[in-house]
PDB file of all heavy atoms in Angstrom:
ATOM      1  N   TYR B   8      91.260  48.120 204.943  1.00 88.00           N
ATOM      2  CA  TYR B   8      90.857  47.705 206.263  1.00 88.00           C
ATOM      3  C   TYR B   8      91.672  46.343 206.556  1.00 88.00           C
ATOM      4  O   TYR B   8      92.166  46.113 207.659  1.00 88.00           O
ATOM      5  CB  TYR B   8      89.387  47.485 206.379  1.00 88.00           C
ATOM      6  CG  TYR B   8      88.916  46.980 207.726  1.00 88.00           C
ATOM      7  CD1 TYR B   8      88.602  47.954 208.800  1.00 88.00           C
ATOM      8  CD2 TYR B   8      88.866  45.646 208.123  1.00 88.00           C
ATOM      9  CE1 TYR B   8      88.232  47.511 210.032  1.00 88.00           C
ATOM     10  CE2 TYR B   8      88.421  45.227 209.313  1.00 88.00           C
ATOM     11  CZ  TYR B   8      88.107  46.201 210.275  1.00 88.00           C
ATOM     12  OH  TYR B   8      87.743  45.688 211.564  1.00 88.00           O
ATOM     13  N   SER B   9      91.678  45.539 205.538  1.00 87.00           N
ATOM     14  CA  SER B   9      92.273  44.207 205.674  1.00 87.00           C
ATOM     15  C   SER B   9      93.744  44.391 205.891  1.00 87.00           C
ATOM     16  O   SER B   9      94.415  43.720 206.771  1.00 87.00           O
ATOM     17  CB  SER B   9      92.097  43.387 204.440  1.00 87.00           C
ATOM     18  OG  SER B   9      92.831  42.216 204.321  1.00 87.00           O
ATOM     19  N   LEU B  10      94.321  45.314 205.220  1.00 81.00           N
ATOM     20  CA  LEU B  10      95.898  45.538 205.388  1.00 81.00           C
ATOM     21  C   LEU B  10      96.191  46.124 206.721  1.00 81.00           C
ATOM     22  O   LEU B  10      97.231  45.715 207.335  1.00 81.00           O
ATOM     23  CB  LEU B  10      96.371  46.506 204.319  1.00 81.00           C
ATOM     24  CG  LEU B  10      96.442  46.007 202.872  1.00 81.00           C
ATOM     25  CD1 LEU B  10      96.660  47.142 201.883  1.00 81.00           C
ATOM     26  CD2 LEU B  10      97.506  44.959 202.784  1.00 81.00           C
ATOM     27  N   LEU B  11      95.358  46.961 207.290  1.00 81.00           N
ATOM     28  CA  LEU B  11      95.626  47.696 208.522  1.00 81.00           C
ATOM     29  C   LEU B  11      95.238  46.683 209.717  1.00 81.00           C
ATOM     30  O   LEU B  11      95.975  46.795 210.763  1.00 81.00           O
ATOM     31  CB  LEU B  11      94.838  48.814 208.716  1.00 81.00           C
ATOM     32  CG  LEU B  11      95.160  50.090 207.781  1.00 81.00           C
ATOM     33  CD1 LEU B  11      94.188  51.113 207.781  1.00 81.00           C
ATOM     34  CD2 LEU B  11      96.587  50.538 208.062  1.00 81.00           C
ATOM     35  N   THR B  12      94.378  45.743 209.553  1.00 84.00           N
ATOM     36  CA  THR B  12      93.912  44.936 210.632  1.00 84.00           C
ATOM     37  C   THR B  12      94.422  43.468 210.536  1.00 84.00           C
ATOM     38  O   THR B  12      94.201  42.589 211.482  1.00 84.00           O
ATOM     39  CB  THR B  12      92.395  44.851 210.783  1.00 84.00           C
ATOM     40  OG1 THR B  12      91.804  44.412 209.515  1.00 84.00           O
ATOM     41  CG2 THR B  12      91.842  46.314 210.966  1.00 84.00           C
ATOM     42  N   GLU B  13      94.880  43.131 209.366  1.00 82.00           N
ATOM     43  CA  GLU B  13      95.397  41.757 209.068  1.00 82.00           C
ATOM     44  C   GLU B  13      94.304  40.745 209.165  1.00 82.00           C
ATOM     45  O   GLU B  13      94.496  39.564 209.474  1.00 82.00           O
ATOM     46  CB  GLU B  13      96.528  41.409 210.033  1.00 82.00           C
ATOM     47  CG  GLU B  13      97.733  42.316 209.828  1.00 82.00           C
ATOM     48  CD  GLU B  13      98.946  41.945 210.764  1.00 82.00           C
ATOM     49  OE1 GLU B  13      98.694  41.109 211.657  1.00 82.00           O
ATOM     50  OE2 GLU B  13      99.922  42.600 210.707  1.00 82.00           O
ATOM     51  N   VAL B  14      93.070  41.086 208.813  1.00 87.00           N
ATOM     52  CA  VAL B  14      92.073  40.091 208.665  1.00 87.00           C
ATOM     53  C   VAL B  14      91.928  39.669 207.229  1.00 87.00           C
ATOM     54  O   VAL B  14      92.473  40.321 206.383  1.00 87.00           O
ATOM     55  CB  VAL B  14      90.626  40.694 209.099  1.00 87.00           C
ATOM     56  CG1 VAL B  14      90.687  41.205 210.577  1.00 87.00           C
ATOM     57  CG2 VAL B  14      90.226  41.872 208.213  1.00 87.00           C
ATOM     58  N   SER B  15      91.273  38.620 206.908  1.00 84.00           N
ATOM     59  CA  SER B  15      91.091  38.032 205.614  1.00 84.00           C
ATOM     60  C   SER B  15      90.223  39.019 204.776  1.00 84.00           C
ATOM     61  O   SER B  15      89.045  39.332 205.088  1.00 84.00           O
ATOM     62  CB  SER B  15      90.449  36.739 205.653  1.00 84.00           C
ATOM     63  OG  SER B  15      90.036  36.257 204.297  1.00 84.00           O
ATOM     64  N   VAL B  16      90.805  39.500 203.618  1.00 85.00           N
ATOM     65  CA  VAL B  16      90.038  40.400 202.691  1.00 85.00           C
ATOM     66  C   VAL B  16      88.890  39.661 202.006  1.00 85.00           C
ATOM     67  O   VAL B  16      87.849  40.120 201.737  1.00 85.00           O
ATOM     68  CB  VAL B  16      90.865  41.034 201.684  1.00 85.00           C
ATOM     69  CG1 VAL B  16      91.571  40.105 200.789  1.00 85.00           C
ATOM     70  CG2 VAL B  16      90.278  42.201 200.997  1.00 85.00           C
ATOM     71  N   GLY B  17      89.189  38.212 201.818  1.00 84.00           N
ATOM     72  CA  GLY B  17      88.023  37.483 201.204  1.00 84.00           C
ATOM     73  C   GLY B  17      86.851  37.330 202.146  1.00 84.00           C
ATOM     74  O   GLY B  17      85.701  37.398 201.761  1.00 84.00           O
ATOM     75  N   ARG B  18      87.094  37.091 203.353  1.00 89.00           N
ATOM     76  CA  ARG B  18      86.057  37.060 204.365  1.00 89.00           C
ATOM     77  C   ARG B  18      85.292  38.386 204.468  1.00 89.00           C
ATOM     78  O   ARG B  18      84.174  38.454 204.640  1.00 89.00           O
ATOM     79  CB  ARG B  18      86.547  36.688 205.866  1.00 89.00           C
ATOM     80  CG  ARG B  18      86.880  35.227 205.981  1.00 89.00           C
ATOM     81  CD  ARG B  18      87.439  34.837 207.293  1.00 89.00           C
ATOM     82  NE  ARG B  18      86.358  35.021 208.316  1.00 89.00           N
ATOM     83  CZ  ARG B  18      85.494  34.074 208.663  1.00 89.00           C
ATOM     84  NH1 ARG B  18      85.647  32.840 208.035  1.00 89.00           N
ATOM     85  NH2 ARG B  18      84.517  34.312 209.611  1.00 89.00           N
ATOM     86  N   LEU B  19      86.053  39.476 204.421  1.00 90.00           N
ATOM     87  CA  LEU B  19      85.420  40.755 204.484  1.00 90.00           C
ATOM     88  C   LEU B  19      84.639  41.096 203.337  1.00 90.00           C
ATOM     89  O   LEU B  19      83.516  41.691 203.377  1.00 90.00           O
ATOM     90  CB  LEU B  19      86.611  41.822 204.635  1.00 90.00           C
ATOM     91  CG  LEU B  19      86.230  43.289 205.259  1.00 90.00           C
ATOM     92  CD1 LEU B  19      85.642  42.964 206.619  1.00 90.00           C
ATOM     93  CD2 LEU B  19      87.529  44.099 205.373  1.00 90.00           C
ATOM     94  N   PHE B  20      85.065  40.680 202.099  1.00 88.00           N
ATOM     95  CA  PHE B  20      84.241  40.848 200.916  1.00 88.00           C
ATOM     96  C   PHE B  20      82.928  40.054 201.023  1.00 88.00           C
ATOM     97  O   PHE B  20      81.918  40.571 200.777  1.00 88.00           O
ATOM     98  CB  PHE B  20      85.032  40.384 199.704  1.00 88.00           C
ATOM     99  CG  PHE B  20      86.074  41.284 199.146  1.00 88.00           C
ATOM    100  CD1 PHE B  20      86.208  42.564 199.654  1.00 88.00           C
ATOM    101  CD2 PHE B  20      86.729  40.924 198.016  1.00 88.00           C
ATOM    102  CE1 PHE B  20      87.110  43.444 199.137  1.00 88.00           C
ATOM    103  CE2 PHE B  20      87.633  41.894 197.479  1.00 88.00           C
ATOM    104  CZ  PHE B  20      87.778  43.057 198.001  1.00 88.00           C
ATOM    105  N   ALA B  21      83.009  38.889 201.580  1.00 89.00           N
ATOM    106  CA  ALA B  21      81.869  38.075 201.729  1.00 89.00           C
ATOM    107  C   ALA B  21      80.833  38.581 202.751  1.00 89.00           C
ATOM    108  O   ALA B  21      79.667  38.616 202.554  1.00 89.00           O
ATOM    109  CB  ALA B  21      82.143  36.629 202.123  1.00 89.00           C
ATOM    110  N   ALA B  22      81.473  39.224 203.718  1.00 92.00           N
ATOM    111  CA  ALA B  22      80.537  39.814 204.778  1.00 92.00           C
ATOM    112  C   ALA B  22      79.844  41.108 204.290  1.00 92.00           C
ATOM    113  O   ALA B  22      78.843  41.502 204.859  1.00 92.00           O
ATOM    114  CB  ALA B  22      81.515  40.233 205.901  1.00 92.00           C
ATOM    115  N   GLY B  23      80.391  41.730 203.239  1.00 91.00           N
ATOM    116  CA  GLY B  23      79.611  42.907 202.714  1.00 91.00           C
ATOM    117  C   GLY B  23      78.457  42.682 201.866  1.00 91.00           C
ATOM    118  O   GLY B  23      77.581  43.597 201.761  1.00 91.00           O
ATOM    119  N   VAL B  24      78.250  41.469 201.456  1.00 90.00           N
ATOM    120  CA  VAL B  24      77.073  41.215 200.503  1.00 90.00           C
ATOM    121  C   VAL B  24      75.850  41.316 201.264  1.00 90.00           C
ATOM    122  O   VAL B  24      74.912  42.056 200.747  1.00 90.00           O
ATOM    123  CB  VAL B  24      77.276  39.769 199.929  1.00 90.00           C
ATOM    124  CG1 VAL B  24      76.080  39.467 198.998  1.00 90.00           C
ATOM    125  CG2 VAL B  24      78.541  39.668 199.102  1.00 90.00           C
ATOM    126  N   GLY B  25      75.578  40.657 202.404  1.00 93.00           N
ATOM    127  CA  GLY B  25      74.369  40.642 203.051  1.00 93.00           C
ATOM    128  C   GLY B  25      73.987  42.149 203.525  1.00 93.00           C
ATOM    129  O   GLY B  25      72.802  42.552 203.122  1.00 93.00           O
ATOM    130  N   PRO B  26      74.901  42.838 204.133  1.00 94.00           N
ATOM    131  CA  PRO B  26      74.619  44.131 204.527  1.00 94.00           C
ATOM    132  C   PRO B  26      74.249  45.104 203.378  1.00 94.00           C
ATOM    133  O   PRO B  26      73.346  45.912 203.461  1.00 94.00           O
ATOM    134  CB  PRO B  26      75.826  44.657 205.327  1.00 94.00           C
ATOM    135  CG  PRO B  26      76.280  43.357 205.757  1.00 94.00           C
ATOM    136  CD  PRO B  26      76.069  42.411 204.841  1.00 94.00           C
ATOM    137  N   GLY B  27      74.951  44.907 202.258  1.00 91.00           N
ATOM    138  CA  GLY B  27      74.665  45.742 201.121  1.00 91.00           C
ATOM    139  C   GLY B  27      73.241  45.469 200.529  1.00 91.00           C
ATOM    140  O   GLY B  27      72.581  46.467 200.186  1.00 91.00           O
ATOM    141  N   LEU B  28      72.862  44.234 200.450  1.00 92.00           N
ATOM    142  CA  LEU B  28      71.494  43.991 200.015  1.00 92.00           C
ATOM    143  C   LEU B  28      70.462  44.377 201.037  1.00 92.00           C
ATOM    144  O   LEU B  28      69.383  44.881 200.562  1.00 92.00           O
ATOM    145  CB  LEU B  28      71.404  42.385 199.706  1.00 92.00           C
ATOM    146  CG  LEU B  28      72.212  41.829 198.582  1.00 92.00           C
ATOM    147  CD1 LEU B  28      72.126  40.232 198.549  1.00 92.00           C
ATOM    148  CD2 LEU B  28      71.994  42.504 197.293  1.00 92.00           C
ATOM    149  N   LEU B  29      70.800  44.300 202.316  1.00 94.00           N
ATOM    150  CA  LEU B  29      69.811  44.822 203.390  1.00 94.00           C
ATOM    151  C   LEU B  29      69.662  46.326 203.114  1.00 94.00           C
ATOM    152  O   LEU B  29      68.457  46.784 203.139  1.00 94.00           O
ATOM    153  CB  LEU B  29      70.498  44.529 204.811  1.00 94.00           C
ATOM    154  CG  LEU B  29      69.668  45.161 205.817  1.00 94.00           C
ATOM    155  CD1 LEU B  29      68.284  44.625 205.978  1.00 94.00           C
ATOM    156  CD2 LEU B  29      70.500  45.053 207.157  1.00 94.00           C
ATOM    157  N   LEU B  30      70.744  47.110 202.916  1.00 94.00           N
ATOM    158  CA  LEU B  30      70.552  48.469 202.797  1.00 94.00           C
ATOM    159  C   LEU B  30      69.747  48.853 201.577  1.00 94.00           C
ATOM    160  O   LEU B  30      68.978  49.746 201.440  1.00 94.00           O
ATOM    161  CB  LEU B  30      71.916  49.226 202.677  1.00 94.00           C
ATOM    162  CG  LEU B  30      72.659  49.179 204.151  1.00 94.00           C
ATOM    163  CD1 LEU B  30      73.980  49.967 203.946  1.00 94.00           C
ATOM    164  CD2 LEU B  30      71.823  49.820 205.262  1.00 94.00           C
ATOM    165  N   PHE B  31      69.986  48.057 200.393  1.00 92.00           N
ATOM    166  CA  PHE B  31      69.261  48.319 199.146  1.00 92.00           C
ATOM    167  C   PHE B  31      67.744  48.013 199.511  1.00 92.00           C
ATOM    168  O   PHE B  31      66.892  48.808 199.022  1.00 92.00           O
ATOM    169  CB  PHE B  31      69.727  47.302 198.057  1.00 92.00           C
ATOM    170  CG  PHE B  31      68.830  47.199 196.955  1.00 92.00           C
ATOM    171  CD1 PHE B  31      68.577  48.225 196.083  1.00 92.00           C
ATOM    172  CD2 PHE B  31      68.011  46.057 196.668  1.00 92.00           C
ATOM    173  CE1 PHE B  31      67.583  48.197 195.006  1.00 92.00           C
ATOM    174  CE2 PHE B  31      67.287  45.831 195.669  1.00 92.00           C
ATOM    175  CZ  PHE B  31      67.068  46.860 194.870  1.00 92.00           C
ATOM    176  N   ALA B  32      67.440  46.989 200.162  1.00 94.00           N
ATOM    177  CA  ALA B  32      66.032  46.629 200.464  1.00 94.00           C
ATOM    178  C   ALA B  32      65.404  47.819 201.281  1.00 94.00           C
ATOM    179  O   ALA B  32      64.333  48.278 201.040  1.00 94.00           O
ATOM    180  CB  ALA B  32      65.931  45.341 201.214  1.00 94.00           C
ATOM    181  N   LEU B  33      66.162  48.224 202.318  1.00 95.00           N
ATOM    182  CA  LEU B  33      65.590  49.223 203.259  1.00 95.00           C
ATOM    183  C   LEU B  33      65.330  50.596 202.457  1.00 95.00           C
ATOM    184  O   LEU B  33      64.268  51.245 202.632  1.00 95.00           O
ATOM    185  CB  LEU B  33      66.538  49.553 204.409  1.00 95.00           C
ATOM    186  CG  LEU B  33      66.595  48.419 205.416  1.00 95.00           C
ATOM    187  CD1 LEU B  33      67.780  48.779 206.490  1.00 95.00           C
ATOM    188  CD2 LEU B  33      65.343  48.182 206.128  1.00 95.00           C
ATOM    189  N   VAL B  34      66.314  51.043 201.667  1.00 93.00           N
ATOM    190  CA  VAL B  34      66.114  52.284 200.938  1.00 93.00           C
ATOM    191  C   VAL B  34      65.083  52.095 199.881  1.00 93.00           C
ATOM    192  O   VAL B  34      64.189  53.051 199.748  1.00 93.00           O
ATOM    193  CB  VAL B  34      67.481  52.605 200.150  1.00 93.00           C
ATOM    194  CG1 VAL B  34      67.258  53.703 199.231  1.00 93.00           C
ATOM    195  CG2 VAL B  34      68.572  53.011 201.171  1.00 93.00           C
ATOM    196  N   SER B  35      64.888  50.860 199.216  1.00 92.00           N
ATOM    197  CA  SER B  35      63.829  50.685 198.300  1.00 92.00           C
ATOM    198  C   SER B  35      62.481  50.772 198.930  1.00 92.00           C
ATOM    199  O   SER B  35      61.512  51.296 198.277  1.00 92.00           O
ATOM    200  CB  SER B  35      64.001  49.344 197.485  1.00 92.00           C
ATOM    201  OG  SER B  35      65.276  49.363 196.859  1.00 92.00           O
ATOM    202  N   VAL B  36      62.345  50.134 200.076  1.00 94.00           N
ATOM    203  CA  VAL B  36      61.096  50.128 200.797  1.00 94.00           C
ATOM    204  C   VAL B  36      60.673  51.601 201.172  1.00 94.00           C
ATOM    205  O   VAL B  36      59.563  51.911 201.111  1.00 94.00           O
ATOM    206  CB  VAL B  36      61.155  49.233 202.026  1.00 94.00           C
ATOM    207  CG1 VAL B  36      59.897  49.410 202.995  1.00 94.00           C
ATOM    208  CG2 VAL B  36      61.260  47.802 201.676  1.00 94.00           C
ATOM    209  N   TYR B  37      61.679  52.295 201.592  1.00 94.00           N
ATOM    210  CA  TYR B  37      61.528  53.693 201.974  1.00 94.00           C
ATOM    211  C   TYR B  37      60.939  54.520 200.878  1.00 94.00           C
ATOM    212  O   TYR B  37      59.857  55.241 200.997  1.00 94.00           O
ATOM    213  CB  TYR B  37      62.766  54.407 202.685  1.00 94.00           C
ATOM    214  CG  TYR B  37      62.620  55.868 202.574  1.00 94.00           C
ATOM    215  CD1 TYR B  37      61.899  56.524 203.565  1.00 94.00           C
ATOM    216  CD2 TYR B  37      63.241  56.632 201.669  1.00 94.00           C
ATOM    217  CE1 TYR B  37      61.777  57.882 203.613  1.00 94.00           C
ATOM    218  CE2 TYR B  37      63.269  57.982 201.660  1.00 94.00           C
ATOM    219  CZ  TYR B  37      62.483  58.675 202.670  1.00 94.00           C
ATOM    220  OH  TYR B  37      62.345  60.016 202.600  1.00 94.00           O
ATOM    221  N   ILE B  38      61.663  54.389 199.643  1.00 93.00           N
ATOM    222  CA  ILE B  38      61.107  55.175 198.568  1.00 93.00           C
ATOM    223  C   ILE B  38      59.786  54.736 198.180  1.00 93.00           C
ATOM    224  O   ILE B  38      58.841  55.485 197.788  1.00 93.00           O
ATOM    225  CB  ILE B  38      62.126  54.958 197.424  1.00 93.00           C
ATOM    226  CG1 ILE B  38      63.495  55.542 197.713  1.00 93.00           C
ATOM    227  CG2 ILE B  38      61.575  55.536 196.105  1.00 93.00           C
ATOM    228  CD1 ILE B  38      64.596  55.280 196.699  1.00 93.00           C
ATOM    229  N   GLY B  39      59.501  53.351 198.070  1.00 91.00           N
ATOM    230  CA  GLY B  39      58.270  52.847 197.631  1.00 91.00           C
ATOM    231  C   GLY B  39      57.135  53.226 198.439  1.00 91.00           C
ATOM    232  O   GLY B  39      55.975  53.623 198.066  1.00 91.00           O
ATOM    233  N   VAL B  40      57.274  53.065 199.811  1.00 93.00           N
ATOM    234  CA  VAL B  40      56.197  53.426 200.761  1.00 93.00           C
ATOM    235  C   VAL B  40      55.949  54.877 200.687  1.00 93.00           C
ATOM    236  O   VAL B  40      54.756  55.328 200.638  1.00 93.00           O
ATOM    237  CB  VAL B  40      56.611  53.055 202.195  1.00 93.00           C
ATOM    238  CG1 VAL B  40      55.724  53.605 203.175  1.00 93.00           C
ATOM    239  CG2 VAL B  40      56.642  51.514 202.293  1.00 93.00           C
ATOM    240  N   ARG B  41      56.956  55.719 200.632  1.00 92.00           N
ATOM    241  CA  ARG B  41      56.760  57.174 200.696  1.00 92.00           C
ATOM    242  C   ARG B  41      56.010  57.575 199.403  1.00 92.00           C
ATOM    243  O   ARG B  41      55.171  58.502 199.492  1.00 92.00           O
ATOM    244  CB  ARG B  41      58.048  58.011 200.872  1.00 92.00           C
ATOM    245  CG  ARG B  41      57.841  59.367 201.075  1.00 92.00           C
ATOM    246  CD  ARG B  41      59.133  60.140 201.510  1.00 92.00           C
ATOM    247  NE  ARG B  41      58.791  61.504 201.787  1.00 92.00           N
ATOM    248  CZ  ARG B  41      59.749  62.475 201.850  1.00 92.00           C
ATOM    249  NH1 ARG B  41      60.946  62.199 201.827  1.00 92.00           N
ATOM    250  NH2 ARG B  41      59.312  63.748 201.989  1.00 92.00           N
ATOM    251  N   CYS B  42      56.411  57.112 198.248  1.00 91.00           N
ATOM    252  CA  CYS B  42      55.831  57.427 196.985  1.00 91.00           C
ATOM    253  C   CYS B  42      54.373  56.913 196.806  1.00 91.00           C
ATOM    254  O   CYS B  42      53.653  57.389 196.099  1.00 91.00           O
ATOM    255  CB  CYS B  42      56.690  56.989 195.841  1.00 91.00           C
ATOM    256  SG  CYS B  42      58.253  57.878 195.651  1.00 91.00           S
ATOM    257  N   TRP B  43      54.127  55.755 197.515  1.00 91.00           N
ATOM    258  CA  TRP B  43      52.809  55.295 197.456  1.00 91.00           C
ATOM    259  C   TRP B  43      51.805  56.211 198.247  1.00 91.00           C
ATOM    260  O   TRP B  43      50.675  56.369 197.627  1.00 91.00           O
ATOM    261  CB  TRP B  43      52.784  53.825 198.164  1.00 91.00           C
ATOM    262  CG  TRP B  43      51.392  53.254 198.221  1.00 91.00           C
ATOM    263  CD1 TRP B  43      50.471  53.363 199.254  1.00 91.00           C
ATOM    264  CD2 TRP B  43      50.715  52.591 197.107  1.00 91.00           C
ATOM    265  NE1 TRP B  43      49.339  52.679 198.918  1.00 91.00           N
ATOM    266  CE2 TRP B  43      49.482  52.248 197.644  1.00 91.00           C
ATOM    267  CE3 TRP B  43      51.097  52.201 195.914  1.00 91.00           C
ATOM    268  CZ2 TRP B  43      48.611  51.590 196.912  1.00 91.00           C
ATOM    269  CZ3 TRP B  43      50.220  51.672 195.097  1.00 91.00           C
ATOM    270  CH2 TRP B  43      48.912  51.240 195.533  1.00 91.00           C
ATOM    271  N   PHE B  44      52.265  56.817 199.353  1.00 91.00           N
ATOM    272  CA  PHE B  44      51.368  57.722 200.102  1.00 91.00           C
ATOM    273  C   PHE B  44      51.482  59.115 199.508  1.00 91.00           C
ATOM    274  O   PHE B  44      50.559  59.896 199.760  1.00 91.00           O
ATOM    275  CB  PHE B  44      51.693  57.617 201.515  1.00 91.00           C
ATOM    276  CG  PHE B  44      51.374  56.430 202.171  1.00 91.00           C
ATOM    277  CD1 PHE B  44      52.160  55.436 202.532  1.00 91.00           C
ATOM    278  CD2 PHE B  44      50.003  56.178 202.611  1.00 91.00           C
ATOM    279  CE1 PHE B  44      51.860  54.193 203.150  1.00 91.00           C
ATOM    280  CE2 PHE B  44      49.580  54.968 203.213  1.00 91.00           C
ATOM    281  CZ  PHE B  44      50.494  53.993 203.525  1.00 91.00           C
ATOM    282  N   GLN B  45      52.592  59.456 198.912  1.00 91.00           N
ATOM    283  CA  GLN B  45      52.800  60.759 198.308  1.00 91.00           C
ATOM    284  C   GLN B  45      53.161  60.627 196.770  1.00 91.00           C
ATOM    285  O   GLN B  45      54.326  60.812 196.459  1.00 91.00           O
ATOM    286  CB  GLN B  45      53.858  61.559 199.094  1.00 91.00           C
ATOM    287  CG  GLN B  45      53.481  61.794 200.539  1.00 91.00           C
ATOM    288  CD  GLN B  45      54.626  62.612 201.257  1.00 91.00           C
ATOM    289  OE1 GLN B  45      55.566  61.971 201.581  1.00 91.00           O
ATOM    290  NE2 GLN B  45      54.482  63.878 201.398  1.00 91.00           N
ATOM    291  N   PRO B  46      52.224  60.193 195.935  1.00 88.00           N
ATOM    292  CA  PRO B  46      52.609  59.874 194.618  1.00 88.00           C
ATOM    293  C   PRO B  46      53.173  61.035 193.886  1.00 88.00           C
ATOM    294  O   PRO B  46      53.959  60.816 192.754  1.00 88.00           O
ATOM    295  CB  PRO B  46      51.250  59.460 193.997  1.00 88.00           C
ATOM    296  CG  PRO B  46      50.239  60.026 194.806  1.00 88.00           C
ATOM    297  CD  PRO B  46      50.778  60.008 196.179  1.00 88.00           C
ATOM    298  N   GLU B  47      52.973  62.316 194.323  1.00 88.00           N
ATOM    299  CA  GLU B  47      53.564  63.402 193.570  1.00 88.00           C
ATOM    300  C   GLU B  47      55.068  63.457 193.699  1.00 88.00           C
ATOM    301  O   GLU B  47      55.803  64.099 192.874  1.00 88.00           O
ATOM    302  CB  GLU B  47      52.940  64.733 194.125  1.00 88.00           C
ATOM    303  CG  GLU B  47      53.334  65.190 195.550  1.00 88.00           C
ATOM    304  CD  GLU B  47      52.628  64.435 196.577  1.00 88.00           C
ATOM    305  OE1 GLU B  47      51.755  63.598 196.202  1.00 88.00           O
ATOM    306  OE2 GLU B  47      52.783  64.795 197.832  1.00 88.00           O
ATOM    307  N   LEU B  48      55.663  62.800 194.686  1.00 88.00           N
ATOM    308  CA  LEU B  48      57.088  62.678 194.836  1.00 88.00           C
ATOM    309  C   LEU B  48      57.792  61.871 193.838  1.00 88.00           C
ATOM    310  O   LEU B  48      59.003  62.184 193.474  1.00 88.00           O
ATOM    311  CB  LEU B  48      57.486  62.201 196.211  1.00 88.00           C
ATOM    312  CG  LEU B  48      56.999  62.951 197.483  1.00 88.00           C
ATOM    313  CD1 LEU B  48      57.485  62.293 198.738  1.00 88.00           C
ATOM    314  CD2 LEU B  48      57.495  64.458 197.397  1.00 88.00           C
ATOM    315  N   GLY B  49      57.163  60.915 193.266  1.00 85.00           N
ATOM    316  CA  GLY B  49      57.733  60.014 192.226  1.00 85.00           C
ATOM    317  C   GLY B  49      56.622  59.403 191.403  1.00 85.00           C
ATOM    318  O   GLY B  49      56.266  58.242 191.506  1.00 85.00           O
ATOM    319  N   PRO B  50      56.113  60.262 190.525  1.00 87.00           N
ATOM    320  CA  PRO B  50      55.096  59.718 189.687  1.00 87.00           C
ATOM    321  C   PRO B  50      55.406  58.707 188.702  1.00 87.00           C
ATOM    322  O   PRO B  50      56.504  58.584 188.165  1.00 87.00           O
ATOM    323  CB  PRO B  50      54.539  60.952 188.981  1.00 87.00           C
ATOM    324  CG  PRO B  50      55.799  61.933 188.901  1.00 87.00           C
ATOM    325  CD  PRO B  50      56.451  61.612 190.215  1.00 87.00           C
ATOM    326  N   ALA B  51      54.431  57.703 188.556  1.00 81.00           N
ATOM    327  CA  ALA B  51      54.699  56.619 187.604  1.00 81.00           C
ATOM    328  C   ALA B  51      54.545  57.175 186.076  1.00 81.00           C
ATOM    329  O   ALA B  51      53.972  58.174 185.860  1.00 81.00           O
ATOM    330  CB  ALA B  51      53.670  55.501 187.842  1.00 81.00           C
ATOM    331  N   LEU B  52      55.258  56.457 185.175  1.00 79.00           N
ATOM    332  CA  LEU B  52      55.070  56.880 183.811  1.00 79.00           C
ATOM    333  C   LEU B  52      53.682  56.738 183.290  1.00 79.00           C
ATOM    334  O   LEU B  52      52.949  55.739 183.788  1.00 79.00           O
ATOM    335  CB  LEU B  52      55.964  55.969 182.990  1.00 79.00           C
ATOM    336  CG  LEU B  52      57.534  56.236 183.120  1.00 79.00           C
ATOM    337  CD1 LEU B  52      58.226  55.172 182.118  1.00 79.00           C
ATOM    338  CD2 LEU B  52      57.912  57.548 182.667  1.00 79.00           C
TER     339      LEU B  52
END
């Protein structure tokens, strides 16, 4: 993307950290909430 658009690849790398952590949090919350109400989907050890 940096090569095609001539934007700074360093800035682009830095910009990916926050959204990556946001998606991790959203997916984790989804799994946790769903398994809390439906424990058979992801039983604890």
Side-chain angles (χ1 to χ4, degrees):
Y8 182 91
S9 170
L10 289 168
L11 293 171
T12 61
E13 299 181 353
V14 301
S15 165
V16 69
R18 288 181 64 89
L19 203 56
F20 278 2
V24 175
L28 296 178
L29 171 68
L30 292 183
F31 165 66
L33 291 175
V34 169
S35 298
V36 168
Y37 163 74
I38 294 172
V40 169
R41 191 169 180 195
C42 290
W43 178 263
F44 289 104
Q45 297 176 281
E47 70 278 4
L48 298 182
L52 291 177

